[in-house]
């Protein structure tokens, strides 16, 4: 037995359904954007860490060369 709905009630149900669908689409878009931003942020952090590690390697090499050079200079003849 079908339920008879007035035109106002039917329009309200359609409006609520459309609003719910829009909220769900907005939430999905928000999650996708937050995921993309988190990925880019982690990628940037990794790039910064790699750059710092490379700088440490260069600095360590230069420091090692300086120490070796100084140790050779201070040797008695």
């Amino acid at each position: 037995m079908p339920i008879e709905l007035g035109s106002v009630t039917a329009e309200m149900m359609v409006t609520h359904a459309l609003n719910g669908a829009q909220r769900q689409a907005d939430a999905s878009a928000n999650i996708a954007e937050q995921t993309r931003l988190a990925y880019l942020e982690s990628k940037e952090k990794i790039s910064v860490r790699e750059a710092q590690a490379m700088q440490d390697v260069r600095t360590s090499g230069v420091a090692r060369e300086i120490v070796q050079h100084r140790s050779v200079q201070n040797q008695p003849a």
Side-chain angles (χ1 to χ4, degrees):
M1 178 187 312
I3 299 174
E4 298 273 335
L5 298 174
S7 64
V8 173
T9 305
E11 286 178 22
M12 287 177 61
M13 290 181 71
V14 168
T15 301
H16 288 301
L18 291 174
N19 287 340
Q22 184 61 51
R23 280 193 303 274
Q24 186 175 10
D26 291 344
S28 296
N30 184 31
I31 289 171
E33 183 66 15
Q34 293 301 321
T35 303
R36 185 182 75 82
L37 290 174
Y39 167 75
L40 292 174
E41 184 177 333
S42 66
K43 190 174 177 181
E44 180 182 352
K45 285 181 182 178
I46 290 171
S47 295
V48 168
R49 288 181 187 149
E50 287 177 349
Q52 287 173 340
M54 288 302 297
Q55 184 63 34
D56 290 345
V57 168
R58 285 189 207 107
T59 303
S60 297
V62 170
R64 185 175 53 246
E65 289 176 14
I66 290 170
V67 169
Q68 288 174 350
H69 181 69
R70 286 182 182 167
S71 66
V72 171
Q73 281 183 337
N74 295 332
Q75 294 294 321

